[in-house]
């Protein structure tokens, strides 16, 4: 029997890259949002330009479970190349919707699902003469059919089409026509709505639908960044592109035609981080955005910024590695390479957002941290957060916020100094005072170098001077533990003897999994890590439990390594839950892995008890 659910299903669109399906698929997701029902959308695309399979998955959840669920209830199969695999993804009792313009043998269909054939190509060939329109409007036809099959308010879709093509009015009418062709066909030939349907709700509330890269770019604008230097790389390029778009609105004087920002596409990643360091040294707030391969190339310059103590903000939108790896798949694969970026004894600040709202918050806060502590700051996003639209709390900004520029000496301050020492620890916090070029006609100058020097920035290979400098850098790093965003700790519904740690984009799946585990009688306290270096609450949380699970999306348990190294934790107390196939982690996976791990412990506990008795 087909499933029957309201506002609770997963639909997946199987298309061909370059077929123009993205616009229609996004219209589908946004139309349901307009009906007040929460959705999450994930674009799964190949790293080539055109021709390979691409998927767009939408989870509809009245309860607000917006992590990737796993399994598909409705498959819109528009790609013969991926047909067999697409059918395997459908859960028993689900639906397969396909283009029936060409006959498909009955043997090609599963018997435990409902098959709905719509002659999409025939409809387009009959109604449109232009070959390009026939191709593109296939997507609008199936969108119209879904409006009937799922009881989506067609007026919402029409409004979205009007908004999308507001600057190209001639495209509105044919798109709406194609929409109605599909809607009318489905209404005439099938019992609508089907078992899964959408019902208007008010569950979205004030939340907004935005991707993490756009939110981070806005964070840069509000954080006072005036320079972006970057080199294109998936999945970070849209962050720089969004920054430039926003700046053309907010950093452009329409009266004079002058811009108050610079966005530079450099010749490579080395040049981009070099430009950021140069701009920051001169007093600008500057950033770059990249992914794992770019981080690898930037290592020496990152070390220069760390050792010369120059602010720099780096957005790492992580993807699958190593090497080129899986450039269009998500992972948390750069934790260690960024925490200890560059050679020698280096430790870097990591801010780890879990959604677009935190991409915005950490985006503007990163510049304060970089200048206050005169060091590089990494914002560790990933492809799932960065390139996919998420339903998130509204982005908030207080106009009373003032930027923390850190210890920058003014001309007046320099006038009062008998002698300026660039690397003097005047206040005992490890952070020296700095000057900006041109501040004073005769005081405050120093030579910026990547080689060892003394407290007055004079070249020195003395072991005493080198060790003094490195100890000061460590003091600076230690005080960060109380300055960065603290980990968020939540208790289970009943007293728990086991904890679970997670971070970043695993949050929606983790929260859903915790609910499922509570229903299974397994109560867990949880902690979401938001920054490195870790605050004291992190080690205290681990020390509070006999066993702690750590959920992360990489093969080598990178966060576990960081915790063991930095918090002096017994590695045997932490059980890793690792997911690294490139797709977002699911609540089902987390629930299964934790349950299996706990079940495996039960026999050993029993054997131990028997042994003690004997």
């Amino acid at each position: 029997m087909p499933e029957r659910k309201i506002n609770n299903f997963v639909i997946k669109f199987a298309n061909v890259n370059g077929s123009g399906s993205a616009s229609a698929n996004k219209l589908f997701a946004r139309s349901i949002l307009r009906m007040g029902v929460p959705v999450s959308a994930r674009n799964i695309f190949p790293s080539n330009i055109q021709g390979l399979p691409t998927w767009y998955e939408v989870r509809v959840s009245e309860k607000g479970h917006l992590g990737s669920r796993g399994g598909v209830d409705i498959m819109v199969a528009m790609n013969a190349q991926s047909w067999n695999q697409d059918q395997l993804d459908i859960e028993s009792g689900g639906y397969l919707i396909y283009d029936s313009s060409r006959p498909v043998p009955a043997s090609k269909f599963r018997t435990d699902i409902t098959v709905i054939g719509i002659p999409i190509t025939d409809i387009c060939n009959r109604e449109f003469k232009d070959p390009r329109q026939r191709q593109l409007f296939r997507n609008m036809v199936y969108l119209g059919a879904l409006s009937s099959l799922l009881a989506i308010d067609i007026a919402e879709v029409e409004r979205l089409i009007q908004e999308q093509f507001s600057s190209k009015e001639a495209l509105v009418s044919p798109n709406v026509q194609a929409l109605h062709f599909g809607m009318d066909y489905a209404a005439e030939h099938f019992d609508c709505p089907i078992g899964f349907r959408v019902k208007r709700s008010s569950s979205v509330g004030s939340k907004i639908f935005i991707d993490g890269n756009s939110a981070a770019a806005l964070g840069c604008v509000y954080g006072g960044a005036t320079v972006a230097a970057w080199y294109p790389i998936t999945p970070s390029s849209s962050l720089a592109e969004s920054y430039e778009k926003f700046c053309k609105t907010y950093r452009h004087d329409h009266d004079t035609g002058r811009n108050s920002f610079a966005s530079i596409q450099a010749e490579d990643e080395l040049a981009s981080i070099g430009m950021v360091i140069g701009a920051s040294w001169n007093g600008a707030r500057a950033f770059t955005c990249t992914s794992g391969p770019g981080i690898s190339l930037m290592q020496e310059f990152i070390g220069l910024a760390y050792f010369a103590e120059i602010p720099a903000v780096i957005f790492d939108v992580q993807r699958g590695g190593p090497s080129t790896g899986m450039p269009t798949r998500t992972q948390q694969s750069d934790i260690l390479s960024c925490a200890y970026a560059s050679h020698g004894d280096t430790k870097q600040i990591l801010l780890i957002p879990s959604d677009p709202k935190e991409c915005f918050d950490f985006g503007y806060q990163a510049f304060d941290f970089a200048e206050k502590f005169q060091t590089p700051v990494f914002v560790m996003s990933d492809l799932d957060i960065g390139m996919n639209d998420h339903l998130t709390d509204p982005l908030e900004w207080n106009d009373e916020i003032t930027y923390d520029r850190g210890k920058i000496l003014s001309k007046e301050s320099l006038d009062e100094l008998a002698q300026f020492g660039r690397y003097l620890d005047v206040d005992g916090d490890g952070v020296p005072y700095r000057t900006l070029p041109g501040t004073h006609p005769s005081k405050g100058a120093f030579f910026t170098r990547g080689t060892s020097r003394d407290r007055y920035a004079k070249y020195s290979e003395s072991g005493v001077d080198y060790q003094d400098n490195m100890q000061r850098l460590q003091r600076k790093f230690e005080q960060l533990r109380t300055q960065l965003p603290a980990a968020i700790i939540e208790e289970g519904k009943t007293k728990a003897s086991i904890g679970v740690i997670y971070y970043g984009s695993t949050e929606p799946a983790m929260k859903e999994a915790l609910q499922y585990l509570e229903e299974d009688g397994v109560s867990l306290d949880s902690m979401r890590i938001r920054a490195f270096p870790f605050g004291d609450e992190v080690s205290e949380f681990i020390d509070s439990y006999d066993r702690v699970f750590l959920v992360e999306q990489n093969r080598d348990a990178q966060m576990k390594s960081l915790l063991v190294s930095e918090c002096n934790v017994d590695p045997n107390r932490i059980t890793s839950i690792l997911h690294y196939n490139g797709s977002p982690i699911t609540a089902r996976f987390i629930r299964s892995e934790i349950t299996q791990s706990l079940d495996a412990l039960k026999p050993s506990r029993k054997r131990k008890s028997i042994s003690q008795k004997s």
Side-chain angles (χ1 to χ4, degrees):
M1 283 291 293
E3 287 276 359
R4 294 195 173 276
K5 291 183 179 179
I6 297 174
N7 296 345
N8 183 20
F9 59 87
V10 174
I11 182 170
K12 196 171 188 177
F13 300 85
N15 301 101
V16 176
N17 200 28
S19 64
S21 59
S23 294
N25 297 340
K26 287 182 179 180
L27 284 172
F28 173 86
R30 291 179 181 273
S31 66
I32 297 176
L33 275 177
R34 291 287 179 92
M35 292 179 67
V37 182
V39 305
S40 61
R42 287 174 172 83
N43 190 19
I44 307 160
F45 59 100
S47 56
N48 75 327
I49 296 174
Q50 190 166 347
L52 287 181
T54 183
W55 296 269
Y56 190 82
E57 182 177 294
V58 179
R59 183 173 185 185
V60 181
S61 174
E62 178 83 29
K63 295 181 178 180
H65 294 317
L66 299 179
S68 183
R69 189 197 71 181
V72 177
D73 299 307
I74 305 167
M75 176 67 71
V76 181
M78 298 294 291
N79 186 0
Q81 184 180 348
S82 60
W83 176 274
N84 292 334
Q85 181 58 51
D86 291 336
Q87 278 206 76
L88 289 177
D89 290 344
I90 304 172
E91 308 232 310
S92 183
Y95 291 80
L96 171 70
I97 299 171
Y98 77 106
D99 185 351
S100 60
S101 299
R102 291 184 179 181
V104 178
S107 60
K108 287 284 189 178
F109 300 110
R110 280 171 49 185
T111 58
D112 62 334
I113 60 175
T114 300
V115 177
I116 297 176
I118 301 170
I120 297 172
T121 300
D122 287 347
I123 292 172
C124 288
N125 289 344
R126 183 182 70 238
E127 302 294 343
F128 302 101
K129 297 189 181 301
D130 181 83
R132 183 60 175 160
Q133 285 188 331
R134 288 175 171 178
Q135 170 63 32
L136 292 176
F137 289 152
R138 293 170 73 236
N139 306 311
M140 297 306 298
V141 170
Y142 72 63
L143 178 57
L146 287 169
S147 298
S148 287
L149 295 169
L150 301 177
I152 297 172
D153 188 343
I154 197 69
E156 297 290 5
V157 188
E158 291 174 346
R159 275 191 285 271
L160 284 165
I161 292 173
Q162 183 72 49
E163 292 170 13
Q164 181 166 317
F165 298 109
S166 59
S167 61
K168 301 177 181 178
E169 193 66 33
L171 295 177
V172 173
S173 179
N175 273 281
V176 171
Q177 283 182 334
L179 183 77
H180 278 269
F181 291 145
M183 182 188 73
D184 294 342
Y185 184 91
E188 181 180 347
H189 292 85
F190 304 103
D191 185 13
C192 298
I194 59 175
F196 296 99
R197 59 164 296 185
V198 180
K199 183 179 180 181
R200 192 171 287 276
S201 175
S202 58
S203 299
V204 171
S206 63
K207 290 183 181 294
I208 62 173
F209 202 48
I210 188 173
D211 65 271
N213 282 353
S214 295
L218 271 174
C220 292
V221 173
Y222 278 83
T226 56
V227 177
W230 60 289
Y231 183 75
I233 182 172
T234 302
S236 71
S237 297
S238 62
L239 198 162
E241 292 163 353
S242 295
Y243 171 78
E244 185 171 348
K245 179 187 72 175
F246 293 136
C247 282
K248 286 179 179 178
T249 300
Y250 301 113
R251 295 266 171 81
H252 176 77
D253 189 321
H254 293 283
D255 294 331
T256 64
R258 298 187 64 179
N259 294 324
S260 56
F261 73 96
S263 179
I264 307 151
Q265 182 177 320
E267 62 266 32
D268 54 32
E269 287 88 351
L270 281 79
S272 66
I273 186 63
M275 292 175 184
V276 167
I277 293 170
S280 297
W281 181 84
N282 273 282
R285 287 193 155 190
F287 75 93
T288 188
C289 52
T290 188
S291 193
I295 296 295
S296 297
L297 290 169
M298 295 178 183
Q299 293 290 304
E300 187 172 0
F301 263 139
I302 292 170
L304 171 63
Y306 172 83
F307 198 49
E309 296 178 78
I310 302 171
V313 174
I314 303 167
F315 290 87
D316 181 10
V317 189
Q318 299 167 90
R319 69 189 207 184
S323 187
T324 305
M326 294 195 295
T328 60
R329 299 293 186 267
T330 195
Q331 271 191 27
Q332 296 170 320
S333 54
D334 302 338
I335 298 298
L336 288 176
S337 62
C338 290
Y340 301 126
S342 199
H343 54 278
D345 293 327
T346 57
K347 291 182 181 179
Q348 314 290 358
I349 295 174
L350 308 184
L351 302 178
I352 311 173
S354 67
D355 59 16
K357 172 69 163 59
E358 284 193 336
C359 285
F360 174 78
D361 292 342
F362 293 172
Y364 73 76
Q365 292 169 14
F367 295 95
D368 276 359
F369 290 129
E371 291 205 297
K372 183 176 181 180
F373 297 103
Q374 303 174 25
T375 193
V377 175
F378 290 84
V379 182
M380 305 296 292
S381 180
D382 61 34
L383 184 146
D384 185 30
I385 300 174
M387 293 195 71
N388 290 318
D389 290 324
H390 296 263
L391 199 60
T392 190
D393 291 331
L395 311 184
E396 297 177 346
W397 177 258
N398 185 345
D399 285 333
E400 295 183 1
I401 290 176
T402 57
Y403 301 145
D404 188 343
R405 303 302 307 270
K407 295 180 177 180
I408 300 178
L409 292 174
S410 65
K411 178 180 181 299
E412 293 72 24
S413 298
L414 286 168
D415 281 335
E416 296 175 3
L417 284 182
Q419 186 178 16
F420 167 67
R422 172 64 181 94
Y423 300 107
L424 278 172
D425 188 3
V426 177
D427 303 316
D429 60 2
V431 183
Y433 285 83
R434 64 182 176 123
T435 59
L436 299 179
T439 299
H440 196 284
S442 60
K443 290 184 176 182
F446 65 96
F447 193 89
T448 303
R449 64 176 81 245
T451 50
S452 182
R453 67 275 166 165
D454 65 14
R455 297 179 179 184
Y456 296 90
K458 294 179 181 178
Y459 176 77
S460 172
E461 292 190 21
S462 163
V464 172
D465 288 336
Y466 174 79
Q467 189 168 326
D468 174 68
N469 195 47
M470 294 301 289
Q471 288 173 343
R472 181 183 56 77
L473 287 171
Q474 182 63 22
R475 286 198 302 277
K476 179 170 75 172
F477 186 81
E478 286 300 320
Q479 70 148 324
L480 287 168
R481 300 184 191 279
T482 60
Q483 304 285 318
L484 302 179
I488 294 177
I489 297 173
E490 295 184 1
E491 295 182 350
K493 291 183 179 179
T494 59
K495 184 172 177 59
S497 60
I498 300 174
V500 60
I501 301 172
Y502 63 101
Y503 61 97
S505 63
T506 60
E507 181 183 40
M510 188 70 246
K511 287 196 167 184
E512 185 179 359
L514 287 170
Q515 291 185 27
Y516 292 154
L517 288 163
E518 286 279 2
E519 294 169 5
D520 297 339
V522 178
S523 185
L524 300 175
D525 293 343
S526 65
M527 177 175 68
R528 176 165 69 88
I529 291 174
R530 299 197 296 163
F532 173 78
F534 307 120
D536 291 340
E537 75 279 359
V538 173
S539 56
E540 290 170 1
F541 180 89
I542 297 172
D543 290 342
S544 299
Y545 304 93
D546 297 331
R547 180 169 298 278
V548 174
F549 291 102
L550 175 53
V551 179
E552 48 185 320
Q553 297 187 96
N554 56 69
R555 184 196 68 182
D556 293 341
Q558 294 186 28
M559 183 61 78
K560 178 180 178 179
S561 296
L562 201 57
L563 286 168
V564 169
S565 173
E566 297 292 330
C567 299
N568 196 27
V569 174
D570 178 0
N572 295 318
R573 298 181 61 191
I574 299 178
T575 300
S576 292
I577 305 295
L578 304 175
H579 183 276
Y580 51 92
N581 66 6
S583 63
I585 196 168
T586 68
R588 290 179 176 180
F589 176 84
I590 296 171
R591 178 191 195 180
S592 173
E593 290 293 305
I594 290 179
T595 300
Q596 289 181 36
S597 180
L598 292 175
D599 287 344
L601 290 172
K602 291 176 182 177
S604 62
R605 288 175 176 173
K606 186 175 181 181
R607 285 194 298 271
K608 182 177 180 181
S609 177
I610 294 172
S611 175
Q612 287 173 342
K613 288 180 182 179
S614 60

